[in-house]
């Protein structure tokens, strides 16, 4: 069987194409792993010109520990046996610096099936790896930040409940006892004072619930948000529609971020929207959680990103929470057609160092 010979003009076109791929190191190896060809991308990525590297074994691109472990030889053996080998790892430039690379080695055989060499493509993945590491670092920072915030909220909520509320309840009981021992007019005045104390206790209980809903520690995002809607939104005279569509429970930091943004959005609805109903939807999307909180209230004129109302602290807080976590946030509204807070936050669990 004859091997096919590439026409001269096609060979020239291929060489021009390979030289034009400056972001890929593309070169040929002989069956023993020695460099036979070299393109502009290889020179840019690895730092060698063709004359410096032609005829040398490709293991010069590997760190010493990989050479000692036999990784270059295994790559060629796998490519020869299976036709192709792909790997990611550290590679070494001419100046000794390292870069993170994606490498593909392809076995090249003639028409009779004899191994004639290998084609090798190397891509410098340093920027992608650095971006991933930065995302991991941001994820760890976010986790620490969220944990610190929630710890402080929990402490304040417990202090309010166990100290302030209990003390005021005791004051209320003493006022009732005192009222029972006083004549009519004085008793009525003391009971009115007791009503004031009871109202303050109610507000403090709402504050404690707002700071740290009971299910936030042990329950999932769906159950916690559902309980919040039932206790806070329905008691404000609003009807609500809750549509959870999550593939799985997000990481704790993501769940807390989603809950807090929803909490602030629902607070704005209760205080400012003059709405009769609200709809909250959760959906898994793009390795994250996509959320919409919409109402049928009075709405307002807005360009779509909430910028016309970004002086409101609650809106600023929502946007900052989403963006700090690596996501995005938008506010949509039209006069008479209600408003919708829409955001997405990633649900990727950061690698632990």
């Amino acid at each position: 069987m004859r091997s096919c010979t590439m026409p001269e003009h096609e060979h020239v076109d291929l060489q021009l194409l390979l030289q034009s791929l400056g972001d890929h190191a593309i070169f040929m190896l002989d069956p023993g792993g020695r460099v036979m060809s070299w393109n502009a991308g290889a020179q840019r990525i690895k730092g060698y010109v063709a004359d410096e590297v032609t005829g040398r074994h490709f293991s010069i691109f590997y760190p010493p520990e990989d050479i000692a472990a036999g990784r270059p030889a295994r790559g060629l053996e796998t490519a020869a046996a299976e036709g192709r080998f792909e790997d990611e790892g550290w590679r070494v430039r001419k100046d000794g610096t390292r870069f993170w690379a994606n490498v593909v080695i392809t076995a090249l055989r003639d028409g009779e099936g004899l191994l004639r060499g290998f084609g090798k493509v190397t891509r410098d993945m340093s920027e992608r790896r650095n971006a991933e590491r930065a995302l991991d670092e941001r994820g760890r920072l976010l986790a620490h930040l969220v944990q610190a915030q929630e710890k402080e909220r929990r402490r304040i909520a417990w202090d309010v409940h166990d100290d302030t509320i209990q003390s005021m309840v005791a004051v209320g009981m003493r006022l009732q006892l005192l009222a029972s021992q006083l004549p009519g007019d004085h008793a009525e005045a003391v009971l009115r004072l007791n009503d004031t104390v009871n109202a303050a206790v109610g507000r403090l209980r709402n504050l404690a619930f707002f700071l740290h809903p009971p299910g936030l520690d042990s329950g999932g995002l769906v159950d916690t948000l559902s309980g919040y809607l039932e206790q806070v939104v329905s008691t404000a005279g609003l009807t609500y529609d809750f549509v959870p569509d999550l593939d799985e429970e997000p990481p704790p930091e993501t769940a807390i971020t989603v809950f807090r943004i929803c909490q602030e959005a629902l607070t704005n609805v209760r205080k400012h929207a003059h709405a009769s109903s609200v709809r909250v939807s959760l959906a898994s999307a793009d390795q994250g959680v996509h959320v919409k909180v919409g109402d049928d209230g009075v709405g307002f004129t807005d360009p779509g990103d909430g910028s016309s109302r970004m002086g409101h602290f609650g809106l600023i807080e929502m946007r900052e929470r989403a963006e700090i976590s690596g996501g995005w946030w938008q506010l949509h509204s039209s006069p008479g057609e209600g408003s919708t807070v829409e955001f997405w936050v990633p649900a990727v669990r950061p690698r632990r160092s």
Side-chain angles (χ1 to χ4, degrees), residues 290-291 319 322-323 325-330 332 342-346:
H290 181 220
V291 185
R319 167 169 281 177
E323 293 181 350
S325 71
W328 52 264
W329 177 95
Q330 289 182 327
H332 311 284
E342 180 180 10
F343 64 95
W344 174 89
V345 292

Side-chain angles (χ1 to χ4, degrees), residues 225-306:
L225 194 50
S226 178
Y228 187 82
L229 285 163
E230 179 62 30
Q231 180 158 342
V232 176
V233 175
S234 61
T235 56
L238 293 168
T239 60
Y240 69 88
D241 186 18
F242 184 39
V243 186
D245 186 20
L246 297 178
D247 296 337
E248 61 181 354
E249 177 68 17
E253 297 79 16
T254 302
I256 290 172
T257 297
V258 170
F259 176 80
R260 290 302 182 194
I261 296 175
C262 288
Q263 186 181 47
E264 185 60 44
L266 292 168
T267 298
N268 285 343
V269 171
R270 288 190 295 111
K271 290 184 176 179
H272 307 298
H274 303 291
S276 60
S277 66
V278 64
R279 187 176 193 270
V280 179
S281 64
L282 309 177
S284 297
D286 300 326
Q287 291 187 304
V289 182
H290 181 220
V291 185
K292 290 184 179 181
V293 180
D295 65 73
D296 63 353
V298 295
F300 56 91
T301 302
D302 191 85
D305 60 356

